[in-house]
Amino acid sequence: QAKQKGWSDVQLELKKRDYWTLSPDEFIRLNGKSGGKSVLITFDDSYESVFTNAVPLLKSLDFTATLFIIAGFIGRKSTWDVHFRPPAHMTGDQVRKACELGFTLGSHTLTHPDLTYLSATRLREELSGSKKLLEDAFGQEIRYLAYPFGRYNERVQDAVRECGYKAAFT
């Protein structure tokens, strides 16, 4: 029955083998130790397809994930991932619904720039601005960041700490 619905073999296999999902807080608390049969699932960019496809699938398996939201693109189309058609980002209502379902939010900045090229002022605007916007809009403390394009350096790491993030992911 699951295959008829198009569910991925990997996710079904995780469930069949009694895996469970971790929040970023739980993942950080493990500090490199084995979490047993656990996995941290994250999605960068907050595309609408994550809400329409991944969120229902994960909830049907009693899994959750962390959604790294680009705060300035909520409800808008991507301007950097435009190979065929610019994908739409989740709307505010979709983000709220995901939160109600137990998904954790993180920041993926305001506008998805390569942080390593930004001035100190613009870097802090991207980090602090997205954190504040997401906290105000969705009522969740934003403790985690995913670096756009996975790019960072020591200056970016320092700014991430100064802006109040607990950790950042690539």
Side-chain angles (χ1 to χ4, degrees):
Q1 179 185 9
K3 287 188 186 268
Q4 292 171 350
K5 294 183 179 182
W7 294 359
S8 114
D9 290 336
V10 171
Q11 287 142 338
L12 287 171
E13 198 61 34
L14 289 173
K15 187 66 174 179
K16 190 173 12 174
R17 293 176 186 236
D18 294 323
Y19 276 79
W20 67 89
T21 51
L22 298 171
S23 70
D25 285 336
E26 292 165 329
F27 178 78
I28 297 293
R29 262 193 303 274
L30 288 172
N31 195 25
K33 297 178 214 127
S34 173
K37 290 185 169 188
S38 61
V39 61
L40 174 67
I41 300 173
T42 67
F43 294 94
D44 290 3
D45 299 334
S46 61
Y47 289 135
E48 191 172 51
S49 61
V50 170
F51 182 79
T52 58
N53 298 315
V55 168
L57 169 64
L58 292 169
K59 281 316 294 177
S60 75
L61 299 170
D62 293 321
F63 289 169
T64 61
T66 300
L67 309 174
F68 287 106
I69 309 290
I70 305 166
F73 277 83
I74 295 170
R76 294 179 50 202
K77 292 199 181 274
S78 175
T79 57
W80 60 91
D81 194 8
V82 294
H83 303 303
F84 300 104
R85 287 190 320 222
H89 293 267
M90 292 167 60
T91 66
D93 286 342
Q94 290 170 328
V95 174
R96 272 187 272 299
K97 180 66 174 167
C99 291
E100 290 168 11
L101 293 171
F103 287 70
T104 302
L105 300 184
S107 172
H108 202 37
T109 70
L110 275 173
T111 63
H112 201 273
D114 182 335
L115 299 174
T116 63
Y117 290 107
L118 300 183
S119 69
T121 300
R122 177 113 188 278
L123 176 59
R124 280 173 183 71
E125 287 171 0
E126 285 285 337
L127 298 172
S128 294
S130 63
K131 188 176 191 312
K132 179 171 178 14
L133 195 154
L134 293 171
E135 288 175 344
D136 291 349
F138 303 111
Q140 267 193 35
E141 182 184 1
I142 303 299
R143 295 185 292 273
Y144 302 100
L145 173 84
Y147 298 112
F149 309 107
R151 299 203 18 99
Y152 65 95
N153 57 25
E154 190 173 323
R155 183 177 69 88
V156 170
Q157 288 177 305
D158 290 343
V160 167
R161 277 189 290 277
E162 289 167 13
C163 290
Y165 290 95
K166 186 174 181 178
F169 294 83
T170 62

